[in-house]
Amino acid sequence: MSNFFITKGKNKNAFTIAFYNLENLFDTVDDPTTLDDDFTEEGKLKWRLKRYKKKIKKISSVIEQIGIERSYFPPVLVGVAEVENKDVINDLVYSKKLQNHHYDYVHYDSPDKRGIDVGLIYNKQVFELLNSEVFPLYVDDIDGERDFTRDVLLVQGNLNGEFISVIVNHWPSRRKGTEESEYKRLEASKLNRKIIRSLREVDEDAKIIIMGDFNDNPTNKSIQNLIQDDFYNPMQSLLAKGEGSLKHNEDWYLFDQIIYSKNFLKEQKGAHRFKSAEVFDKEFLKVYRGKNKGKPFRTYIGKWYQGGYSDHFPVYSFLEKK
């Protein structure tokens, strides 16, 4: 076993990669082009500036702590989902907790009906941004109308001088039924494979990280179609141990995943190597009493304000560079 696992304390060559669904990180301003009316002061959720600032404070405190048991600094890359616009990510990275961690971000507005997007936060002292673009996901509802959902985000750059590509996802939900909506996530999986093919046409040995809230477990067909035989999904073993990033009724699900191309498993001088993956499920992120004890301490349950963090736990993994 690598010393990276058994040595207590921090490792100067350890770098944390994370993903976090932020559960409706909306500002308080009404956007007339999206269905964000609930997240306004006059909306049914009474989403006031005080509540927004509290959420920014809580989320930033979580990000600051992810991976610091092994790394000397917070995550170098953080994929995020359910952010309304660039302003909320900006407020997050320049919050009191994160403003000294050299973060910048990539964000594009997507056509999602609710106005929620994905993004990537990165430490600009460690990651040099070189390219970013989005790929729309075209899927129809069962009535034949287009389901306007989140784009897939591709970000490319140099991580400690090594060129990598990061694909950030938030796949269509199971709201209308798991089986009934599966075809949408299968299409999202196909779109990711198309992006992967395009990357490998440029570099057949491209190093690729795929992350996101996939609204499917590692064992579901959409994820199995995604990883095929050229990607490694460390989240599959976590699920097998009963771990999860969200809980519905009494069942844990691991929809939030970070997946690596298999060349991250090789040990090469000057290259990053995958070491381990975990769910960041610290006690302070959980409901501590009542019928929801142990579940993620979320911002809302229905229309009832809870004042928590998110209905998802973050997930994270460690890379080591020799």
Side-chain angles (χ1 to χ4, degrees):
M1 182 179 285
S2 166
N3 288 336
F4 187 78
F5 286 108
I6 60 178
T7 302
K8 291 184 178 180
K10 299 180 189 294
N11 183 318
K12 63 183 175 62
N13 296 315
F15 301 93
T16 309
I17 312 296
F19 178 82
Y20 198 5
N21 181 320
L22 304 183
E23 190 201 1
N24 297 319
L25 183 58
F26 282 83
D27 60 26
T28 61
V29 181
D30 179 35
D31 182 344
T33 66
T34 63
L35 302 177
D36 71 340
D37 295 15
D38 290 348
F39 286 92
T40 59
E41 292 192 24
E42 299 78 24
K44 75 175 186 180
L45 298 177
K46 297 180 172 55
W47 186 236
R48 296 184 285 269
L49 188 61
K50 183 178 180 181
R51 292 181 174 183
Y52 171 70
K53 287 183 175 180
K54 182 178 181 180
K55 174 137 182 157
I56 290 288
K57 183 178 180 180
K58 282 181 170 288
I59 293 295
S60 62
S61 71
V62 176
I63 292 173
E64 187 184 41
Q65 297 178 62
I66 297 174
I68 59 172
E69 72 273 16
R70 292 181 185 171
S71 180
Y72 277 93
F73 35 80
V76 294
L77 299 174
V78 188
V80 291
E82 294 198 13
V83 292
E84 184 183 15
N85 50 44
K86 66 180 180 62
D87 295 330
V88 299
I89 306 183
N90 197 76
D91 286 346
L92 184 61
V93 301
Y94 289 105
S95 62
K96 186 177 180 180
K97 293 284 187 181
L98 299 183
Q99 63 184 352
N100 295 322
H101 292 301
H102 313 291
Y103 281 131
D104 206 342
Y105 58 90
V106 179
H107 168 271
Y108 293 84
D109 284 315
S110 77
D112 182 86
K113 289 175 285 190
R114 292 172 52 220
I116 55 172
D117 313 316
V118 299
L120 185 73
I121 298 170
Y122 62 93
N123 182 329
K124 56 192 175 185
Q125 289 195 330
V126 181
F127 182 79
E128 177 192 10
L129 176 67
L130 296 177
N131 176 59
S132 67
E133 57 186 302
V134 288
F135 298 82
L137 175 61
Y138 294 104
V139 289
D140 292 338
D141 277 324
I142 54 175
D143 58 7
E145 294 291 322
R146 183 181 170 188
D147 180 9
F148 289 94
T149 187
R150 283 74 61 178
D151 294 332
V152 176
L153 172 65
L154 170 66
V155 179
Q156 296 175 289
N158 290 321
L159 179 62
N160 295 304
E162 183 181 26
F163 186 75
I164 66 167
S165 298
V166 183
I167 305 172
V168 188
N169 294 266
H170 185 191
W171 288 3
S173 77
R174 296 181 169 196
R175 191 172 295 110
K176 295 182 180 179
T178 302
E179 294 181 2
E180 292 83 353
S181 60
E182 182 186 38
Y183 71 95
K184 296 180 182 180
R185 293 184 294 280
L186 289 171
E187 285 300 316
S189 180
K190 289 179 184 177
L191 176 58
N192 274 255
R193 290 303 309 190
K194 183 178 179 180
I195 297 168
I196 292 163
R197 286 195 299 273
S198 69
L199 296 176
R200 287 180 173 158
E201 285 174 0
V202 177
D203 177 7
E204 64 181 18
D205 200 34
K207 297 193 82 166
I208 304 167
I209 303 172
I210 310 171
M211 61 171 66
D213 173 358
F214 297 96
N215 273 301
D216 268 340
N217 278 320
T219 50
N220 285 120
K221 185 177 179 181
S222 63
I223 301 297
Q224 293 297 308
N225 287 357
L226 172 61
I227 64 173
Q228 296 185 18
D229 61 356
D230 54 346
F231 279 82
Y232 171 65
N233 188 358
M235 304 302 178
Q236 190 158 339
S237 60
L238 296 181
L239 181 69
K241 292 189 292 185
E243 297 189 40
S245 56
L246 70 155
K247 194 173 188 181
H248 180 63
N249 295 327
E250 295 305 312
D251 297 319
W252 282 103
Y253 297 88
L254 194 46
F255 291 171
D256 305 280
Q257 300 166 53
I258 305 173
I259 301 166
Y260 289 90
S261 54
K262 285 189 173 177
N263 47 10
F264 273 101
L265 303 179
K266 299 176 182 177
E267 187 164 347
Q268 296 174 312
K269 188 175 181 180
H272 294 84
R273 184 185 180 197
F274 169 81
K275 301 304 293 187
S276 65
E278 300 180 39
V279 178
F280 191 77
D281 56 356
K282 303 296 185 184
E283 289 301 313
F284 73 89
L285 286 172
K286 301 175 182 178
V287 178
Y288 68 91
R289 64 182 179 183
K291 67 177 183 179
N292 292 316
K293 183 178 180 181
K295 289 184 178 182
F297 180 28
R298 56 191 299 177
T299 310
Y300 282 91
I301 296 179
K303 67 177 184 178
W304 307 108
Y305 180 67
Q306 306 296 304
Y309 300 82
S310 171
D311 55 351
H312 291 241
F313 294 135
V315 293
Y316 66 113
S317 55
F318 291 106
L319 296 178
E320 184 181 22
K321 187 183 181 188
K322 291 290 186 181

